[in-house]
Amino acid sequence: MKLIQGYLFRQIGLPVVAACAALAGIGLLSQSLDQLEVIVERGQSVWVMVKLTLLALPQLIAVILPIGLFVGALIALTRLQREQELTAAYAAGVSRWSLIRPALRIALIVAVLSLITNVFMQPWAQREGRRQAFAIRTDLAALLVEEGRFVQGPEGLTVYVQQIEQNGLLKNLFVYLDNGKTVTTWDAETARFGRVDGIPVLTMQNGSMQRYSSRQVLNQLSFDQQVFDLSPYAKTSDRIRFKPSDLWLTELFNPTPALLEIAGSRGELAAEGHSRLSSPLYAVVAMALALTAILGGAFSRAGYSARIAKAAGVFLVVRVIGYGLVAASAWNGALNILQYLLPIGVIFIALRLLFRSLKPHRRRVWAPYERLKARFA
């Protein structure tokens, strides 16, 4: 019995892993296309784009895992039923419960992985991604430099760069500063942004500086290296604004007044917290519906397209209703219980239909009708 269950576990598990991996690849591709703006408009490196893409993946897992589990389970169960391996297992004395136990074990493993991701990985990744995006948005190199254009910064600062290398090296730099009292210009053959003791600076090489004195005499200075302090132009009043998806469970269920000001209302945070705890149940829903679609009826040589379509439609409707409950729970906290009752109810109904199909259905007979039918037979 253990040998058969181990075989079924592998035969169902491999397509599930492949389906989840394929959906994760599609999600990564979509995220990477969205992050191209970081390279094109913000002048960041490819590594920054890859980092932001990977940090966005945990949030997609809650959506990917149930769908991948449903698709992979349908593929595996359809093949096993078509090749009559399940029929052979029945003939060997395997009970219905023993047959579906490996599939349910896979569903529970996926549900646990989804729960760990929702509770730990997602908030950490989202917070890191938010900090990275904030650093890019406030990066002086991205704000003050645009290849081939004069960029006006704060406090009368204007910067022009003819060429920007992939490694961040600036070529043929021109800096113009008008602070209201004096006008100073710098030009350099190469330059690079950096930090010295935590202070943002622009280090220029092989250039010159021109400034008019109070007597309108032009002073010119050539230098091999000049460090320009950018701290007066790096002041910003912006701060990182976290969303409910970025918060830990303790912050969602017990938010501070500061979090309520920037992240949302108490109802929205509570709805997000209950959604993270209840969404892993949809992995079990997906497996229960897949089992019902394939094993919840008689063997069919014509295939199971109709039953699979019904199961897919039910899964889609249930998942959409689940998302709707999350939005509704933000306004009415009493609806949070439905986030748990909905998937649990669907699991119970699906398993009920699965085991009920084993029992022979008795056709109700009306005695007068049968006597009349026998008389005219």
Side-chain angles (χ1 to χ4, degrees), residues 80-156:
L80 290 172
Q81 187 76 307
R82 184 179 63 250
E83 297 178 0
Q84 299 188 4
E85 294 190 51
L86 298 180
T87 303
Y90 288 139
V94 179
S95 64
R96 176 62 62 95
W97 175 250
S98 298
L99 193 67
I100 69 173
R101 188 181 298 170
L104 292 180
R105 190 179 298 124
I106 292 173
L108 291 177
I109 292 174
V110 172
V112 171
L113 291 176
S114 180
L115 181 62
I116 293 174
T117 301
N118 290 348
V119 175
F120 300 106
M121 294 180 61
Q122 176 184 328
W124 174 82
Q126 287 294 109
R127 295 170 85 97
E128 289 298 318
R130 197 76 62 189
R131 292 190 181 98
Q132 186 73 39
F134 180 80
I136 293 173
R137 191 171 62 251
T138 58
D139 185 12
L140 282 174
L143 294 175
L144 296 179
V145 173
E146 188 171 347
E147 189 174 273
R149 293 187 59 183
F150 287 89
V151 178
Q152 293 185 348
E155 306 294 334

Side-chain angles (χ1 to χ4, degrees), residues 64-250:
I64 290 173
L65 287 182
I67 299 175
L69 180 65
F70 184 71
V71 174
L74 283 176
I75 294 173
L77 292 172
T78 301
R79 186 189 65 79
L80 290 172
Q81 187 76 307
R82 184 179 63 250
E83 297 178 0
Q84 299 188 4
E85 294 190 51
L86 298 180
T87 303
Y90 288 139
V94 179
S95 64
R96 176 62 62 95
W97 175 250
S98 298
L99 193 67
I100 69 173
R101 188 181 298 170
L104 292 180
R105 190 179 298 124
I106 292 173
L108 291 177
I109 292 174
V110 172
V112 171
L113 291 176
S114 180
L115 181 62
I116 293 174
T117 301
N118 290 348
V119 175
F120 300 106
M121 294 180 61
Q122 176 184 328
W124 174 82
Q126 287 294 109
R127 295 170 85 97
E128 289 298 318
R130 197 76 62 189
R131 292 190 181 98
Q132 186 73 39
F134 180 80
I136 293 173
R137 191 171 62 251
T138 58
D139 185 12
L140 282 174
L143 294 175
L144 296 179
V145 173
E146 188 171 347
E147 189 174 273
R149 293 187 59 183
F150 287 89
V151 178
Q152 293 185 348
E155 306 294 334
L157 180 67
T158 302
V159 180
Y160 172 85
V161 176
Q162 185 180 34
Q163 184 180 357
I164 304 177
E165 298 290 339
Q166 187 64 37
N167 59 4
L169 183 66
L170 312 178
K171 289 189 174 182
N172 297 329
L173 172 76
F174 174 81
V175 178
Y176 174 87
L177 176 61
D178 184 359
N179 59 9
K181 298 180 180 179
T182 59
V183 176
T184 308
T185 60
W186 291 265
D187 61 89
E189 182 179 339
T190 58
R192 188 183 295 274
F193 285 97
R195 286 184 176 272
V196 176
D197 297 330
I199 299 176
V201 297
L202 177 64
T203 303
M204 298 176 283
Q205 294 90 19
N206 301 326
S208 63
M209 183 270 290
Q210 300 84 32
R211 176 184 300 164
Y212 279 100
S213 66
S214 58
R215 298 181 179 181
Q216 298 301 313
V217 176
L218 178 63
N219 296 322
Q220 182 169 351
L221 173 67
S222 298
F223 56 83
D224 294 329
Q225 179 171 301
Q226 175 74 23
V227 177
F228 181 69
D229 185 8
L230 294 174
S231 57
Y233 315 99
K235 298 177 181 179
T236 177
S237 59
D238 295 338
R239 59 175 179 170
I240 302 177
R241 300 183 65 88
F242 292 115
K243 295 182 178 180
S245 59
D246 309 336
L247 304 180
W248 302 97
L249 279 182
T250 54

